[in-house]
Amino acid sequence: MKHDEWELLGVRGLAATDERAEEFTGTLLIHRVTGSEPVEAVSIRVKRSMLSELESNLSRLLTRSVRFTPPPR
């Protein structure tokens, strides 16, 4: 069975109704790496805990990257 490979191009409109929300909605922009199809927009819902885990993992990955300079906070 062949598995398709997708490329994440962006995340749009990730937002919640208030700053204490536990769930956020947005759109993933993806494209099939080997395909000629146009970019697809997929509506998503993401839990706060998942975003926190993702932020931690991406921060760790980018810190180890050679040419990454974190933006000022």
Side-chain angles (χ1 to χ4, degrees):
M1 176 185 212
K2 182 183 171 231
H3 294 282
D4 292 326
E5 187 173 329
W6 293 85
E7 177 180 15
L8 177 60
L9 302 174
V11 179
R12 296 263 168 89
L14 199 56
T17 54
D18 66 50
E19 65 275 0
R20 294 179 309 247
E22 290 298 319
E23 187 173 271
F24 300 81
T25 59
T27 303
L28 290 181
L29 301 176
I30 59 174
H31 181 264
R32 193 179 314 253
V33 172
T34 59
S36 60
E37 297 89 11
V39 172
E40 293 188 37
V42 180
S43 295
I44 59 166
R45 273 194 253 184
V46 184
K47 301 285 185 190
R48 178 181 292 277
S49 59
M50 173 55 194
L51 289 176
S52 180
E53 182 181 333
L54 184 60
E55 188 273 337
S56 175
N57 289 332
L58 289 175
S59 178
R60 195 169 37 252
L61 174 66
L62 289 172
T63 299
R64 292 192 314 250
S65 294
V66 176
R67 288 182 268 179
F68 175 72
T69 304
R73 286 192 172 211

